[in-house]
Amino acid sequence: MTKKQWDRRPAAERIAASIRTMIMRGEEGWEPAAQLPTTADLMAEHGVSNVTIQRAVGVLKSEGLLVGRSGSGVYVRDEAPHVITPASYISPEPDSAADRWKISASHRGRETNRVLAAGEIVAPKRVAEALGEETVIRRKRLGLLDGEPAEVTYSYYPASWARGTELAQRRKIRGGSPRVLAELGHRLAPPQVDEVSARWATPEEYELLQLPGDVPVFDVFRMVPDSEGVAVEVTELIKPGHIFKLGYRVS
C-alpha cells in the first residue's frame, strides 16, 4: 500500500521549506555565509529536476535567506536569525528618550522606530474584551533594524482616560508608555500575559514590513495589567517569521 503524502505543496516549496528550517536552526553546512551544495547534489538528495531546485532556491533568495554571488555560487546570508526577546513594560524609564522597543534590543543593531499614527478608533474585538472598552486610543509604530522594517507594533489604551494624553499624540514618548501610565495613576504590575501565534500578514503588515512573499509572521498579543489586575495596555507586535526567532526565559 502506498503511503499517503500529506504535504501536498509543490516540490519546490517543500524543498524551500526544508532548507529554510536548516538555515533558521543553523544546522551544520547551513550556517551564515555557508556555500550552498551544488545543484547536482541537491537534485540527488531530493530526487527532483534542476528546474525544481532552481525554483526552490529562487524562493529563498527572494526571502533574503540565500544570496547569489556572481562567478562564485549561492550562499546562506551572512547574518544568523535574530533572536528577539519581547521587552518587559513593567518598569518606567522616565529619564530615557528611547522607548522600550529600542532599549530591549539596542545591542542587536536595532536603530529606531517610527510613530505612524495615533488616535481614537473602535477597538478590535479581543482588544475591547481585554480593556473593557469599545473605544480606544491606538498607537501604530514601525520598528527598524539597521534601517530595514522589522516590526509593526499596535498599542491600545482605554479612551476614557487616555484621550488627550501623550498616548494619543503622534510622536515618540520620552520614557515610553510606562512613564505616562504611572503619571496617570496606573502602576503596572506583573504578570504580563503574552499570547503568541503564527499567521499570514495582513495587507497593511505585508506592505509595512516589505515582506518578500507569503512568509508567516509572529503575532505577540500582550496584556499589561496595573496593580489592581486590570488591563491598562494591550500591545500587538508583528514580526517577520523568516528572519526572527522569539526568545522567552521561563523562571
Side-chain angles (χ1 to χ4, degrees), residues 122-203:
V122 176
K125 182 180 178 181
R126 65 175 180 171
V127 173
E129 290 175 347
L131 294 177
E133 292 192 19
E134 294 186 358
T135 303
V136 297
I137 298 299
R138 183 189 70 170
R139 294 176 61 79
K140 178 170 67 175
R141 291 164 290 165
L142 176 66
L144 303 172
L145 177 64
D146 294 330
E148 297 296 324
E151 179 178 83
V152 179
T153 306
Y154 306 92
S155 295
Y156 304 88
Y157 310 89
S160 60
W161 51 260
R163 187 183 291 118
T165 70
E166 289 180 78
L167 298 171
Q169 299 174 11
R170 186 185 170 183
R171 63 180 180 82
K172 294 182 180 180
I173 299 174
R174 180 173 292 275
S177 61
R179 192 265 300 167
V180 178
L181 292 171
E183 291 178 357
L184 292 171
H186 299 288
R187 185 170 63 85
L188 305 184
Q192 297 171 165
V193 178
D194 284 359
E195 296 178 358
V196 182
S197 60
R199 58 172 174 80
W200 302 120
T202 66

Side-chain angles (χ1 to χ4, degrees), residues 82-87 101 104-105 110 149-153 197-199 201 205 209 211 215-220 236-248:
H82 296 277
V83 180
I84 298 297
T85 303
W101 194 93
S104 68
R110 183 168 292 183
E151 179 178 83
V152 179
T153 306
S197 60
R199 58 172 174 80
E205 294 159 359
L209 292 171
L211 297 178
V215 297
V217 295
F218 289 113
D219 183 330
V220 182
E236 188 173 21
L237 305 93
I238 312 301
K239 304 172 185 286
H242 69 304
I243 56 175
F244 288 102
K245 297 179 180 180
L246 293 183
Y248 284 88

